Amino acid sequence: MLLPALLSSCRPKKPGTRCSCLEQAAESNALAVVNWSMSTCGPCQRVKPAYEQMARSRPGTLFVVVDLQASVANANLVEEARTRAYPTFHLYRSMYRVHETVGSNMADLAD
């Protein structure tokens, strides 16, 4: 599955254009980790500090959080990504999903 073109933590420079950080990730074959979550989800909030620490410790990887409840655009992305449980983590390389981890077990994601 292709990485959705619009992500909440990656803002395009111009409206209607693609996020440059996603373009750079795709061109460099960098890994992108997407945390699909909800602000009212207890497990989502519990993994947030570990996810942020993971992002700080892996500077060559793009880490993004998409909160289903933050906007209609995010809700559409969640539907497009076929995310049904929260938190769900998708790993993308060259814009294609290469791995999925469902649930709050950060050890699964770290592997």
Side-chain angles (χ1 to χ4, degrees):
M1 166 174 262
L2 281 171
L3 176 64
L6 172 68
L7 296 173
S8 63
S9 297
C10 181
R11 306 243 188 264
K13 292 181 181 177
K14 296 179 184 176
T17 63
R18 218 169 157 178
C19 300
S20 61
C21 57
L22 294 178
E23 294 287 341
Q24 292 169 1
E27 289 171 8
S28 68
N29 200 32
L31 185 65
V33 182
V34 180
N35 175 1
W36 303 95
S37 68
M38 294 190 309
S39 56
T40 58
C41 165
C44 298
Q45 298 310 308
R46 282 193 296 277
V47 301
K48 192 174 181 178
Y51 185 77
E52 291 171 354
Q53 175 57 37
M54 188 179 293
R56 284 190 295 276
S57 68
R58 292 172 173 83
T61 301
L62 175 65
F63 284 81
V64 179
V65 177
V66 179
D67 183 335
L68 162 68
Q69 298 166 318
S71 70
V72 172
N74 284 5
N76 291 339
L77 288 173
V78 166
E79 185 176 317
E80 182 182 333
R82 298 186 188 126
T83 304
R84 301 285 180 246
Y86 303 96
T88 293
F89 302 91
H90 288 166
L91 281 63
Y92 295 87
R93 190 170 300 277
S94 297
M95 304 299 281
Y96 288 92
R97 187 186 312 166
V98 295
H99 183 74
E100 176 181 72
T101 297
V102 178
S104 59
N105 187 347
M106 293 302 289
D108 288 347
L109 185 60
D111 293 339

